[in-house]
Amino acid sequence: MPTCPVNCIHPAPGEPGFGTSEMLYIDPETCIECKACVTVCPVGAIHHEDDLTDASLPFLEINTAFYREHPVDSFGAQPPEIRWPRALDGLRVAIVGSGPAGSYAAADLLRIAGVEVDVYERLLTPEGLVRYGVAPDHQDTKSVSQVFPYQTPHPRLRVHLGVEVGVHISHEELLQHHHAVIYAVGASSDRHLDIPGEDLAGSHSATDFVAWYNGHPDAAQLTFDLSTERAVVIGNGNVALDVARILASDPEDLASSDIADYALAALRESHIREVVVVGRRGPAQAAYSLPELLDLVSRPNMCVVALEDEVGQPDPETGSEVSPLEEIKLRRVREIVHNESGPDARRITLRYFHSPVELTGTDRVTAVRLRRNELAADTSVIRPTGDETVLETGLVLRAVGYRGKAIPSLPFDNSTGTVPNEAGRVTGLSDDARGVYVTGWIKRGPRGVIGTNKQCAAETVASLVDDFAAGRLPAPSRSIAELDELLNSRNPKSLGLEAWLQIDAVEKETGRQAGRTRVKFTDPATMLGATEAAVTHAQPKADH
């Protein structure tokens, strides 16, 4: 990466694996310990080996294993750093979505003098997935929001919270008021299992559950029956481990976080004693990242187990060769086979080589019927066996992936759930509809981690900047004053950046008084009330 003077951090942008790798790796042999990467890492994830804790010591082996499989000299020369022009006077850009992808794009544009940015967000709070998707016990990950441009007012940044594109302003109207529009709307729908019983009460998407415990206004009124003794999570990616971990955690361990108050109260009354996480393939091919697995199995107050017959030596016919990193995954899972939980402890059971075939019950879910799988020599091929298992449960959460939704007026690839594009430029538009771009999951599909969006956004912004500099973007036909008049007439209750800063301050102060990270507002009316109260309090008193 350009930050590293000796090019020892991989995979870097433009290299194989970037965007799909579960983490970046530092080659211990090449590193000169200059600490340049430490100072720029937004989540404090880089440490000297002497400072590693027992829980993070395995990362020494992980880095070494990666470079055994991918020698550092195989990556070639360091990729060139994107160099932004010093100024682009008069460029006006609309960004739809304030999550990581949109936030990185806004930050890149604001580096260039003269560029004006309008961010449109349908919710009354920015930051998207960081606020409403990252688990409350991963506060270090949430700290990445400190690099987003919503910490202080900026003279060339306007944030329109509570403004939904397609409702309060159309795509065509955005183009009338801006040179370009960047859609950073993510992948907001979840994939389904497509099996009988999926629509029974007690069957939910993990997406809804995550939004619920994170205080998303759209999910605040949802309810989840936690009176059952066993919950089953279908899928074994990072989201699956997140929801399993939250369900199995001691609620008091979450009490100092920013978890929604109502969710914490419900978890305190939970009867769940076991969470079963079901994956179609084996532990070496599991979808969760190695860091997520290590985090889960290293927690002192959590019992995580696996079944010996599902994590034993793989059959020679079915892909016994695994990569060094997959071998570490496999070994870590084998180490938990004989874990034993105390009589009062909740536990997480990791199940492999099983697929759900039916959710059974009359009015609500009472059990999940699972089919045993085996892997072909090509581990992407799953072959069913004749064996089945039935797990009794009253709560099933599906965590089998996300999918993008079509955006009105834009082309859409239904097979990938993305908007067709080249380096972020939306393709398939007529010549008079130039100036439309995408970034994030709607651009590349739901893969990668939060930091992956940084380079993704940079590529899109670079395309936009090149187009503007070459004169390919039509000038706006409407003024900023006309835009303000339009938005005020469509939604007078929308909020700006200063209102968000007031909400942010109140949440943090309320949290400080309660010994917590923050206490989130989950009701839009309450958020609006908080900003109105702050404005009223700030008014000068009349002279008497």
Side-chain angles (χ1 to χ4, degrees):
M1 297 181 71
T3 295
C4 178
V6 294
N7 194 28
C8 75
I9 305 177
H10 300 279
E15 295 175 345
F18 183 80
T20 58
S21 176
E22 58 192 33
M23 59 180 282
L24 301 183
Y25 303 86
I26 300 176
D27 177 32
E29 298 299 322
T30 310
C31 177
I32 60 173
E33 300 186 14
C34 68
K35 298 186 179 180
C37 58
V38 175
T39 60
V40 300
C41 180
V43 295
I46 304 175
H47 305 278
H48 190 276
E49 61 180 282
D50 294 340
D51 298 325
L52 295 177
T53 64
D54 289 343
S56 56
L57 272 173
F59 285 97
L60 284 176
E61 180 187 12
I62 292 169
N63 276 280
T64 302
F66 177 82
Y67 285 102
R68 279 206 314 271
E69 185 178 5
H70 307 283
V72 69
D73 56 9
S74 69
F75 291 103
Q78 181 166 284
E81 183 177 7
I82 296 177
R83 296 189 178 277
W84 305 112
R86 300 186 68 175
L88 288 173
D89 289 337
L91 174 59
R92 282 163 39 191
V93 180
I95 299 177
V96 182
S98 67
S103 298
Y104 283 127
D108 282 340
L109 285 164
L110 292 170
R111 293 182 187 180
I112 307 170
V115 178
E116 299 178 0
V117 177
D118 284 69
V119 175
Y120 296 84
E121 169 60 58
R122 74 174 186 87
L123 300 175
L124 293 176
T125 56
E127 300 178 1
L129 188 65
V130 173
R131 180 177 171 92
Y132 294 122
V134 177
D137 58 350
H138 282 177
Q139 291 298 314
D140 285 348
T141 303
K142 287 178 180 281
S143 66
V144 72
S145 64
Q146 296 303 308
V147 303
F148 296 166
Y150 314 123
Q151 311 306 312
T152 58
H154 190 289
R156 292 183 283 110
L157 172 66
R158 289 149 44 96
V159 179
H160 308 278
L161 302 171
V163 174
E164 184 172 359
V165 174
V167 175
H168 302 116
I169 187 170
S170 69
H171 169 73
E172 291 73 20
E173 288 169 333
L174 285 176
L175 287 174
Q176 290 171 3
H177 292 88
H178 307 84
H179 289 91
V181 180
I182 300 175
Y183 284 93
V185 294
S188 56
S189 63
D190 59 277
R191 297 185 182 275
H192 290 259
L193 300 173
D194 296 325
I195 60 175
E198 187 174 7
D199 295 330
L200 286 170
S203 170
H204 307 270
S205 73
T207 306
D208 286 344
F209 188 67
V210 169
W212 174 75
Y213 65 61
N214 272 320
H216 194 297
D218 292 349
Q221 303 306 315
L222 297 179
T223 57
F224 297 87
D225 184 1
L226 306 183
S227 65
T228 181
E229 291 193 357
R230 175 188 289 136
V232 176
V233 181
I234 306 298
N236 62 5
N238 288 347
V239 172
L241 294 198
D242 278 348
V243 299
R245 195 179 63 251
I246 295 299
L247 284 169
S249 291
D250 182 338
E252 301 316 309
D253 290 339
L254 302 172
S256 61
S257 74
D258 63 347
I259 190 171
D261 287 345
Y262 57 74
L264 183 61
L267 290 169
R268 281 175 167 150
E269 300 298 322
S270 172
H271 291 185
I272 293 174
R273 312 312 304 166
E274 180 187 31
V275 184
V276 181
V277 180
V278 180
R280 296 183 301 161
R281 296 183 173 85
Q285 300 83 28
Y288 51 68
S289 66
L290 189 47
E292 283 286 334
L293 175 65
L294 293 175
D295 175 47
L296 182 69
V297 301
S298 65
R299 298 205 171 201
N301 298 324
M302 192 163 293
C303 180
V304 186
V305 302
L307 304 187
E308 187 167 14
D309 70 319
E310 294 176 2
V311 300
Q313 292 291 341
D315 188 286
E317 179 194 353
T318 60
S320 58
E321 291 187 7
V322 295
S323 71
L325 291 176
E326 289 174 333
E327 173 57 34
I328 296 175
K329 259 187 185 179
L330 192 57
R331 176 158 35 90
R332 288 290 169 176
V333 174
R334 287 175 180 159
E335 289 173 356
I336 64 174
V337 165
H338 300 295
N339 280 357
E340 294 185 2
S341 58
D344 299 323
R346 299 175 184 176
R347 76 175 189 174
I348 295 175
T349 303
L350 302 180
R351 299 294 304 269
Y352 302 95
F353 299 112
H354 281 86
S355 295
V357 293
E358 182 183 16
L359 306 187
T360 61
T362 51
D363 296 330
R364 63 174 301 106
V365 172
T366 57
V368 181
R369 186 159 61 89
L370 302 175
R371 180 197 67 203
R372 181 71 183 248
N373 302 320
E374 64 181 10
L375 300 183
D378 176 359
T379 56
S380 65
V381 177
I382 298 174
R383 300 189 302 219
T385 70
D387 298 333
E388 290 192 352
T389 299
V390 175
L391 295 177
E392 294 184 356
T393 182
L395 177 64
V396 177
L397 300 173
R398 65 177 184 274
V400 290
Y402 296 92
R403 179 177 173 78
K405 291 182 178 180
I407 300 171
S409 303
L410 298 191
F412 188 71
D413 185 337
N414 197 54
S415 64
T416 61
T418 61
V419 172
N421 70 93
E422 294 178 359
R425 296 181 182 93
V426 175
T427 57
L429 295 170
S430 61
D431 288 342
D432 59 353
R434 289 170 295 171
V436 185
Y437 305 82
V438 285
T439 187
W441 281 359
I442 197 63
K443 170 186 173 182
R444 67 182 192 276
R447 63 180 186 272
V449 295
I450 288 174
T452 309
N453 292 291
K454 182 175 175 59
Q455 182 64 23
C456 181
E459 179 187 59
T460 295
V461 170
S463 295
L464 189 160
V465 167
D466 286 347
D467 290 344
F468 180 76
R472 291 190 286 265
L473 302 183
S477 59
R478 301 289 180 87
S479 68
I480 291 294
E482 290 174 304
L483 174 62
D484 289 341
E485 183 179 353
L486 174 67
L487 293 176
N488 288 334
S489 67
R490 301 272 179 84
N491 185 14
K493 291 189 176 181
S494 63
L495 302 179
L497 180 56
E498 291 193 0
W500 156 244
L501 293 175
Q502 293 166 359
I503 292 171
D504 185 46
V506 172
E507 287 185 341
K508 289 178 177 176
E509 176 57 24
T510 306
R512 187 192 66 78
Q513 294 178 10
R516 302 178 57 182
T517 305
R518 72 167 67 226
V519 175
K520 287 180 180 174
F521 289 114
T522 59
D523 174 52
T526 307
M527 292 185 200
L528 290 170
T531 60
E532 291 169 358
V535 170
T536 301
H537 181 73
Q539 294 299 317
K541 295 181 180 180
D543 293 330
H544 294 285

